[in-house]
Amino acid sequence: MASPVPPGAPRQRSPPPSNYNPNLQQNPNALSDHFQNMNINRPVSVLNSTPRPTPFAQTPPFPSTTLSPPVSRPGPPPPGVVPRSLGTQQPTLPPNVAPPPTALPAGPSFPFGGRPPSGSLPSSMGSGGPVGVPPSGVPPAGTLPASGLLGGPFAPPPGARPFASSTLSSGMNAPTSSVQDGLTSNGPLSYAASGAALGGPRFAPPGYAVQTQTPPVGPPSMVASTRSPPQFPLGSVGTGSSMVPPMQPGMRFSAPHQGAPPFSAAPPQGVPPSQGSPFGPQSWQSRQVGPSPSIAGSVQPPRMFGMPPPLPTQSMTTIPPAMGQSGAPAAASSKIDPQQIPRPVPSSMVVMYDTRDGNQSNTPPPATSDYIVRDTGNCSPRYMRCTISQIPCTNDLLATSGMQLALLVQPLALPHPSEEAIQVVDFGESGPVRCSRCKAYINPFMRFIDQGRRFICNLCGFTDETPRDYHCNLGPDGRRRDADERPELCRGTVEFIATKEYMVRDPMPAVYFFLIDVSMNAIQTGATAAACSAISQVIADLPEGPRTMVGIATFDLTIHFYNLKRALQQPLMLIVPDIEDVYTPLESDVIVPLSECRQHLEMLLESIPSMFSNNRTAESAFGAAVKASFLAMKSTGGKLLVFQSVLPSVGIGALSAREAEGRSNISAGEKEAHKLLQPADKTLKAMAIEFAEYQVCVDVFLTTQTYIDISSISVIPRTTGGQVYYYYPFSALSDPAKLYNDLRWNITRPQGFEAVMRVRCSQGIQVQDYHGNFCKRIPTDIDLPAIDCNKAIMVTLKHDDKLQDGSECAFQCALLYTTVYGQRRIRVTTLSLPCTSNLSNLYRSADLDTQFTCFMKQAANEIPSTPLVNVREQMMNLCVNALVSYRKFCATVSSSGQLILPEALKLLPLYTLALIKSTGLRNDGRIDDRSFWITYVSSVSIPSAVPFVYPRMVAIHDLDSNGEGGSPIPPFLPLSSEHVSDEGIYLLENGEDALIYIGSSVVSNILHQLFGIHSVEEIPTQFVLQQFDNPLSKKLNEVINEIRRQRCSYLRLKLCKKGDQSGMLFFSYLVEDKIPTGGQSYVEFLIHIHRQIQVKMS
């Protein structure tokens, strides 16, 4: 049957299926709209496809991409929920932009996001002259601010997730707060009442975030457009200027590199986006939106008279000559000003980033910064980043640079709410156009020749015939005349509808099977009750429709299945006593459609804690229960969510307590201690490979108070594309809220099932290996029973031939997956980068965040098989190797007393020190904590990686001063005890946990306002944040909730005080301090790095 639309055109919307039940629409205060800016989990055919609320009861940050009217669940909203307005709210437009038409204009429609043809914009948006420049006295593009600061790439706070804040105006009205005056709780009770968690999505809330409900028309509103400020204006840092000689005239760079900042200068504002080719001239360039922040300490230190400033591509720290010799490092370190060494500088500016400008790739902004992407040919850096934005032509050049060549791929990453949705393209029964030799998918870099009758693959160079129904003539510029109307020819990321040839069976339904530990320990600690409560609340968040199926089982020494068929008056328990040779009873009735069993499921979840309240069985048959649940899911596949509280001690895959052995080995310094971080045996790994083969993904929620052997258990989630959640020590008071929010986000975030992924490269480069949570059966592909927006995969690359200088090298990631609504899709992400034979270009285009994330993932891979001291040495060498070549071949100052760092990598020593001192690489600590660190890092995304080892710290005893851009978060403090006072209270967070340190001399009035206590001695061990009726408490709750929004994670809160274990935990995160056990301070580490560089150079 012929396709109803031309091949390659955006897919038409179809009417809702006859069997779709609109009454299954969930609670209007449910967790998430799946952050659906990308149409990934919500089919166009579903009538009831209004945005679902985002996590933690915030307004949805993403514009709705459907045309159907909003439909809400019948009845009034739950208590405390602000009803959403059904009216359309228009975003506030800058004065120089005409408002969008209220009705569709006559004439041809344009396929994406309202890109009008050139010349069709009103004169107020014309491209000539300085039209639209705000009257703020902003210097024209290309000029420097009057302060004369030279600097390099703008780097945001290491802990900042993208979109922390922005100064763009919002068109979305924020709902009024539902918090009553008086004492309110941020803990489990409020969730039971309203189902809403305080907190929010990763993106900032209305008021200072970029939030629109309709795609922006023309360029987004801008307040300022300047060259990026210096990140660390380090001239001759440290002691007297006599240590810093003037730069020599024979410097290697003929002039300061104008492209040193990663973002090119902005054009006059008000210039509309060009309708032309992504390879033709573009008027949208990278630019910053928002006021330039006032950066404390950003004035450059004095230089010698007549000394030229350092180049914008390098930083200099003066190391006195004594530091380069053995002798008195302590005396030397006292000469360095700790205030002037490189540290992250946060900023609230939003960067507008075009992926390509004309025929050139643009260097992406830092992954931890706040930016909005316009896809002009290359994919968004959210989906795929390279450690170096220019590819070395030869392996020798790469080896000389000391840097690593790898891709970080996050194919379903969350876009910014202001970014254009990914286009879905339907080629009909013929399927997408591909190269017949290497099977690469059609993309903007394939070149058409012979009047469009043939095309040349940009990956392998093979020439193919253009399919007859895909033919189009070429224009004078050699491009197809329809290139700008076809997403696959002008966008770096596109999604194709998969045809039958991409399916070995019908797309699987959305199956969710919950497996709950009901052993004595789980019952007594409250873990079982917390799991049942969380599941019962998230049932409303499961995908609507007849294809959603659920099942439930409990286990201790035996396994208990439940028949949930509607015909039964109540759920029927079916016990499987054999835990060595397990089976599934009544397979057809154990997993049933949610629409048929909702009442029985809710009734069962309510009664499970009381049913097993007198259970005295301490053993747990985890392996057998997981295997039996898999047998029930084997025919369909799906998600298996396991809640486990104790060490699995009986049945298949039984484990023994290795922790005591591990503790004695580590304290004795034995070299074999790392083997306790390897799985105990191969039983669970063999099970996991079978699960992956049948598309079963396992997520494990570990609600434990003892050793549970994460290194063995985590094999199952890591092989099946799942995740480990770790609550140690589990608290029935404070952890149910996080358990509920984690489960809610797990189910509602953008995700896909039964996925296969492959990365293809241009000739001359090939994939070396993949690293992440997946199963690999053949070298070229990885199998992902599930893939979600938080998972990243590292792809290491190697040269197999020489590349041509000046040419481009392309990478293409293809992800074939099934949406939760049963649609088979192929997400194709293409990135084309320039090749260079110039070493300086490599350092100029190095991506710090991506490089460092690769360091972390390499460390996680090495820890289970290598002694920790060797892993720390490897990480140190990776850092030194990347810096020594720059010092040797590219730096322009020859004094041996200076540590010269490339501008793009100047924070690499600090982050490397943080990594060496992290939980994963420290000698002390629990085996399970290190195992969880390894598991977390194996799939961590770039924006989450840096803060995990280099957290953010803020003072919360004085919350009168807001952060930049109106953010409620105060300014960040360096991670040093010098900035922690006994009179203060400090919050430190790494994206997973938040520690609140209370000084020993804090005023009792502040303690009473924030925590309801009068002295430090009253600090509770278990803590639930409450909101008291005073301004300070309300501001603290705002800060915590804002961090939760940015992190998209419900942080575990813990109070810490000086002198006990909690205080030691807090200070262990202050990575700039010297550790009593022998860890170096940041200043000492810089000296050590400098020595290492000098040794290698000599």
Side-chain angles (χ1 to χ4, degrees), residues 935-1001:
T935 304
Y936 180 89
V937 168
S938 69
S939 65
V940 73
S941 63
I942 305 176
S944 303
V946 172
F948 192 56
V949 297
Y950 189 88
R952 294 192 295 190
M953 182 170 73
V954 297
I956 57 174
H957 51 271
D958 177 17
L959 291 172
D960 292 336
S961 57
N962 277 9
E964 294 170 14
S967 167
I969 302 177
F972 305 131
L973 301 173
L975 294 181
S976 166
S977 54
E978 292 178 10
H979 296 269
V980 177
S981 160
D982 278 347
E983 290 79 34
I985 304 175
Y986 302 89
L987 171 72
L988 184 146
E989 61 85 21
N990 67 356
E992 281 290 300
D993 300 293
L995 305 178
I996 298 177
Y997 176 80
I998 301 174
S1000 54
S1001 307

Side-chain angles (χ1 to χ4, degrees), residues 116-171:
S118 301
S120 65
L121 289 168
S123 58
S124 64
M125 295 175 64
S127 58
V131 179
V133 176
S136 58
V138 175
T143 64
L144 282 170
S147 63
L149 297 178
L150 286 173
F154 147 74
R161 291 290 289 270
F163 334 128
S165 58
S166 156
T167 52
L168 289 189
S169 58
S170 166

Side-chain angles (χ1 to χ4, degrees), residues 975-1035:
L975 294 181
S976 166
S977 54
E978 292 178 10
H979 296 269
V980 177
S981 160
D982 278 347
E983 290 79 34
I985 304 175
Y986 302 89
L987 171 72
L988 184 146
E989 61 85 21
N990 67 356
E992 281 290 300
D993 300 293
L995 305 178
I996 298 177
Y997 176 80
I998 301 174
S1000 54
S1001 307
V1002 178
V1003 179
S1004 61
N1005 183 39
I1006 294 179
L1007 285 176
H1008 184 66
Q1009 288 184 59
L1010 289 177
F1011 310 113
I1013 59 178
H1014 293 88
S1015 71
V1016 178
E1017 287 70 33
E1018 297 177 34
I1019 292 175
T1021 53
Q1022 298 183 5
F1023 173 62
V1024 175
L1025 181 67
Q1026 296 179 330
Q1027 181 167 309
F1028 300 99
D1029 191 14
N1030 64 73
L1032 193 59
S1033 176
K1034 289 176 181 175
K1035 285 192 175 182

Side-chain angles (χ1 to χ4, degrees), residues 887-908:
R887 181 69 179 86
K888 193 171 184 179
F889 300 114
C890 303
T892 56
V893 178
S894 57
S895 167
S896 62
Q898 288 178 322
L899 171 63
I900 302 178
L901 307 172
E903 182 66 30
L905 299 178
K906 68 176 142 193
L907 292 176
L908 192 58

Side-chain angles (χ1 to χ4, degrees), residues 99-114:
T102 54
L104 290 175
S109 61
F110 301 100
F112 351 96

Side-chain angles (χ1 to χ4, degrees), residues 88 100 111 139 169 216 232 254 302 363 397 405 431 450 590 707 748 750 859 863 875 877 891 958 969 981 998 1030 1080:
T88 304
S169 58
F232 302 108
S254 57
T363 303
L397 183 64
L405 186 60
D450 194 14
V590 170
Y707 173 72
T748 58
I863 291 169
M875 295 303 106
N877 287 338
D958 177 17
I969 302 177
S981 160
I998 301 174
N1030 64 73
Q1080 295 171 309

Side-chain angles (χ1 to χ4, degrees), residues 140-263:
T143 64
L144 282 170
S147 63
L149 297 178
L150 286 173
F154 147 74
R161 291 290 289 270
F163 334 128
S165 58
S166 156
T167 52
L168 289 189
S169 58
S170 166
M172 182 180 291
N173 297 329
T176 55
S177 170
S178 59
V179 176
Q180 308 283 326
D181 284 340
L183 174 63
T184 59
S185 169
N186 217 1
L189 296 178
S190 64
Y191 304 94
S194 68
L198 300 178
R202 164 184 187 176
F203 308 111
Y208 59 90
V210 186
Q211 294 198 3
T212 56
Q213 287 183 307
T214 55
V217 178
S221 58
M222 289 168 290
V223 180
S225 175
T226 65
R227 183 173 174 180
S228 64
Q231 183 183 25
F232 302 108
L234 293 173
S236 48
V237 180
T239 64
S241 56
S242 60
M243 293 292 180
V244 186
M247 287 191 183
Q248 302 304 318
M251 59 179 63
R252 289 183 178 271
F253 301 125
S254 57
H257 176 58
Q258 295 303 314
F263 324 121

